[in-house]
């Protein structure tokens, strides 16, 4: 089993721990639970619980979110100050777990192509300035999509045009069914604690 599959399955198991309890204890801990069962949790800028903190793709941290009735994994990044120094305690919604977004358009416009073999609903998280948005795949089988560009609008690489450019590629994946405005629903900065 791939490491990413194991990490996401672990995240789903941890989600059940985070939501566990019988409602009598405000911290959702039942009497007799050991401290080693505590789960790090992600909270938004208003102190609201978002989901459990999980490791994903070996080195990235993420959280599990239920968005538009779909369970997805959303990456986090440490915030930086104007000198590009990282915060020790504050996070923001990160760009996708993959390094590059792929588009069926020739200029990196419109919704991105969603690919990947996630054990939860496939999605792509894109950050443009202060706004992070998740594009969520439909609950259908994948289809073949032609990719004509990749990157982001500021640094878009077009495929299939010019002399030294690779031809368009086809891949299995999904056109997004819905979007989820992360920064509107869960404002930044994010924090992580028990």
């Amino acid at each position: 089993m791939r490491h990413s599959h194991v990490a996401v399955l672990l995240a789903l198991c941890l989600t059940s721990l985070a939501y566990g309890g019988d409602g009598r204890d405000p911290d959702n801990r039942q009497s007799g639970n050991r401290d080693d069962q505590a789960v790090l949790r992600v909270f938004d800028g208003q102190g609201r619980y978002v989901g459990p903190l999980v490791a994903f793709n070996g080195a990235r941290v993420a959280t599990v979110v239920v968005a538009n009735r779909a369970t997805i994994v959303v990456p986090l990044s440490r915030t930086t100050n104007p000198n590009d120094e990282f915060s020790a305690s504050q996070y923001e919604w990160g760009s996708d777990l993959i390094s590059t977004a792929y588009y069926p358009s020739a200029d990196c416009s419109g919704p991105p192509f969603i690919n990947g073999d996630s054990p939860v609903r496939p999605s792509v998280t894109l950050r443009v300035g202060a706004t992070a948005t998740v594009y969520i795949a439909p609950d259908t089988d994948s289809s073949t999509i032609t990719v004509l560009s990749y990157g982001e609008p500021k640094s878009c690489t077009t495929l299939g045009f010019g002399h030294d450019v690779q031809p368009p590629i086809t891949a299995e994946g999904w056109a997004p069914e819905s979007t989820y405005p992360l920064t509107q629903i869960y404002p930044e900065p994010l924090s992580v604690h028990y």
Side-chain angles (χ1 to χ4, degrees):
M1 185 177 281
R2 294 178 130 175
H3 294 289
S4 61
H5 288 187
V6 172
V8 171
L9 290 174
L10 177 61
L12 291 174
C13 292
L14 292 176
T15 301
S16 66
L17 288 175
Y19 287 108
D22 60 8
R24 288 182 281 175
D25 186 335
D27 289 335
N28 285 334
R29 292 187 191 172
Q30 296 176 351
S31 300
N33 280 358
R34 300 187 323 250
D35 284 340
D36 63 347
Q37 291 178 337
V39 176
L40 281 172
R41 301 173 185 192
V42 177
F43 296 86
D44 72 7
Q46 298 173 348
R48 291 179 299 154
Y49 175 70
V50 177
L53 182 71
V54 296
F56 193 78
N57 262 2
R60 301 281 313 251
V61 291
T63 190
V64 177
V65 174
V66 177
N68 302 341
R69 295 179 302 213
T71 302
I72 58 173
V73 176
V74 183
L76 306 177
S77 297
R78 290 193 182 273
T79 60
T80 57
N81 64 21
N83 296 329
D84 287 332
E85 298 168 331
F86 291 104
S87 170
S89 61
Q90 293 184 341
Y91 293 84
E92 63 186 11
W93 297 112
S95 288
D96 197 73
L97 300 169
I98 57 172
S99 58
T100 303
Y102 296 93
Y103 296 88
S105 64
D107 60 356
C108 298
S109 64
F113 166 69
I114 301 170
N115 62 357
D117 56 351
S118 174
V120 294
R121 184 76 63 91
S123 64
V124 171
T125 303
L126 295 181
R127 183 175 193 91
V128 178
T131 304
T133 304
V134 179
Y135 296 86
I136 303 168
D139 188 15
T140 61
D141 291 338
S142 63
S143 61
T144 302
I145 296 177
T146 301
V147 176
L148 296 177
S149 63
Y150 65 90
E152 57 183 70
K154 292 183 219 171
S155 60
C156 184
T157 300
T158 301
L159 302 174
F161 300 95
H163 296 290
D164 297 327
V165 179
Q166 71 184 107
I169 57 175
T170 57
E172 286 294 313
W174 299 266
E177 174 184 66
S178 64
T179 60
Y180 190 74
L182 278 172
T183 45
Q184 288 179 16
I185 294 172
Y186 296 115
E188 300 169 333
L190 306 171
S191 60
V192 176
H193 50 87
Y194 291 101

